[in-house]
């Protein structure tokens, strides 16, 4: 393939890399960057790939090693974090510690139509428990006004089982909040995609297989559900193309012993469908899981993934990026945390199907982290009340991470970043070398 403005051939691998146009900061944002650089030691040697540089005027091509090149370029920062685009909120946190969360995950209901063998929140399933849309929707405007910037609908069960999910999503967007959806995709339909895709920033399908036989084993349902899911994904992708929507449509593949040999089929399938990306990620043990699994990525499993990906040759006409989350897999395999306290709690939150607001989803049911109820209270009281302040302080000062927390949790990279800027080096911060 000849190099053009969108793609370039890498002679060291069998796939191709696409150009990533860098984000352009506005003048106020550039000033925020300058201020942040002045008052904080802005270096992060272990995660440089996740940090954009201050000069954003020219597009760049991300080159990787031979092994990484077969995975594609992670333009979505799945193994990094995005707080660098919210420096003003970081500065607020430095001054106040209690701030409005940028991101909230909401669970529309507490039951699912799959029985995945890796389900992290099987302990929280409760048949017929669903979020009361009539009481939740009016609170969305309050969230947006308070400073909540994004909501992902996922949680304890399958969101598409909620009968009022479409109006919930549409009203979230109307409130000025970016919306995302994580789903197994069994129940999607062309009518659903037509209604919600224009409002979504992204939708991620949890598929974890490339064939119906493996899907049945991993998801605990009949193979027919795999074909139904694939058809629904095709419909979503086609609707996006036909209407030139900006929504990102992705699929994910949690690597297990039971499905790793199906990875090549999954790469071929999703490349042919034309999803925006296929993310290949590690399993993560939740402290409260009932059906626990032990997955050892150092025992050859990670090498098998890399070996399979080297042999995959996605079509050059396909827009699909294959993203191997190797950093996340290595971090999970190492079993270590690079921070001693949880500083991320002010930046996100979790709302369960009862409407209870938690500062962390790992601790569902734990009164130390349950700080209010969005159905029963005004959002100002929940987000800025004494209970949330106490919970944030507990995470920052007293939470025993190595004993209680989830290894390589979703806030791990944010915690590493916040720990770095919260501990100013001796000798002054103005010597930035």
């Amino acid at each position: 393939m000849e190099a053009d403005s969108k793609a370039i051939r890498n002679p060291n691998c069998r796939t191709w890399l696409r150009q990533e146009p860098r984000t352009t900061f506005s003048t106020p944002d550039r000033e925020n960057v300058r201020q942040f650089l002045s008052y904080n030691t802005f270096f992060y040697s272990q995660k440089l790939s996740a940090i954009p540089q201050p000069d954003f005027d020219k597009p760049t091509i991300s080159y990787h090693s031979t092994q990484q090149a077969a995975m594609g370029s992670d333009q979505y920062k799945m193994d990094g974090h995005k707080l660098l685009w919210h420096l003003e909120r970081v500065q607020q946190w430095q001054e106040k510690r209690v701030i409005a969360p940028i991101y909230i995950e909401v669970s529309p209901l507490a039951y699912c139509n799959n029985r995945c063998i890796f389900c992290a929140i099987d302990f929280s399933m409760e048949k017929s428990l669903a979020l009361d849309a009539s009481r939740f929707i009016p609170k969305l405007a309050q969230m947006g006004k308070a400073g909540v910037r994004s909501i992902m609908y996922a949680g304890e069960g399958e969101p598409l089982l909620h009968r009022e999910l479409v109006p919930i999503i549409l009203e979230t967007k109307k409130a000025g909040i970016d919306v995302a959806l994580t789903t197994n995709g069994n129940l999607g339909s062309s009518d659903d995609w037509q209604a919600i895709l224009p409002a979504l920033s992204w939708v991620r399908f949890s598929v974890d297989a490339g064939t119906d036989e493996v899907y049945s084993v991993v998801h605990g349902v009949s193979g027919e559900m795999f074909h139904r899911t694939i058809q629904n994904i095709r419909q979503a992708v086609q609707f996006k193309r036909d209407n030139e929507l900006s929504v990102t449509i992705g699929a994910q593949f949690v690597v297990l012993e039971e499905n790793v040999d199906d990875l090549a089929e999954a790469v071929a399938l999703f490349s042919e469908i034309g999803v925006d990306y296929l993310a290949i990620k590690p399993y993560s043990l939740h402290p409260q899981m009932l059906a626990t699994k032990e997955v050892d990525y150092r025992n050859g499993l990670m090498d098998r993934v890399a070996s399979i990906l080297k042999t995959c040759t996605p079509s050059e006409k396909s827009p699909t990026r294959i993203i191997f989350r190797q950093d996340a897999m290595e971090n999970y395999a190492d079993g270590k945390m690079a921070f001693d306290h949880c500083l991320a709690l002010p930046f996100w939150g979790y709302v369960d199907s009862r409407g209870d607001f938690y500062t962390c989803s790992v601790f569902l049911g734990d009164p130390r982290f349950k700080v209010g109820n969005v159905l029963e209270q005004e959002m100002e009281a929940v987000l800025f009340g004494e209970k949330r302040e106490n919970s944030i302080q507990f995470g920052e000062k007293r939470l025993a991470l190595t004993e209680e927390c989830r290894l390589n949790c979703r806030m791990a990279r944010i915690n590493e970043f916040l720990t770095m800027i919260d501990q100013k080096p001796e000798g002054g911060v103005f010597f930035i070398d």
Side-chain angles (χ1 to χ4, degrees), residues 145-156:
K145 184 177 180 181
V148 175
R149 302 295 301 276
S150 64
I151 291 179
M152 176 181 72
Y153 291 102
E156 302 123 69

Side-chain angles (χ1 to χ4, degrees), residues 27-52:
T27 300
D29 286 330
R30 288 179 183 272
E31 185 59 31
N32 283 340
V33 172
R34 293 190 188 98
Q35 293 177 8
F36 197 76
L37 290 170
S38 297
Y39 290 103
N40 300 280
T41 306
F42 198 88
F43 65 90
Y44 199 25
S45 60
Q46 295 180 340
K47 293 291 176 183
L48 285 177
S49 62
I51 299 179

Side-chain angles (χ1 to χ4, degrees), residues 300-311:
L301 190 55
M302 188 159 48
D303 292 338
R304 287 165 67 187
V305 173
S307 178
I308 291 169
L309 290 176
K310 284 182 180 180
T311 67

Side-chain angles (χ1 to χ4, degrees), residues 259-290:
N259 67 0
V260 65
D261 292 329
D262 219 30
L263 181 55
E265 286 78 2
V267 170
L269 174 62
F270 289 106
S271 297
E272 179 267 318
I273 293 173
V275 297
D276 293 300
Y277 69 83
L278 172 64
I280 301 156
K281 60 179 286 188
Y283 161 87
S284 177
L285 177 67
H286 192 293
Q288 298 191 63
M289 282 178 69
L290 299 178

Side-chain angles (χ1 to χ4, degrees), residues 118 208-209 214 218 253-263:
F118 59 87
D208 316 293
V214 173
V218 175
F253 190 107
V254 176
V255 177
L256 307 165
E257 288 285 356
E258 290 86 348
N259 67 0
V260 65
D261 292 329
D262 219 30
L263 181 55

Side-chain angles (χ1 to χ4, degrees), residues 348-364:
W348 86 299
Y350 182 94
V351 177
D352 72 7
S353 302
R354 292 183 175 84
D356 290 330
F357 188 103
Y358 289 86
T359 53
C360 181
S361 63
V362 173
F363 298 97
L364 300 184

Side-chain angles (χ1 to χ4, degrees), residues 15-18 20 62 64 67-75 321-324:
T15 187
W16 48 277
L17 302 174
R18 297 177 65 85
E20 293 185 31
S62 297
H64 299 265
Q67 178 172 312
Q68 290 173 319
M71 309 163 200
S73 175
D74 179 12
Q75 71 183 93
R321 291 175 182 265
I322 309 303
I323 302 173
F324 178 20

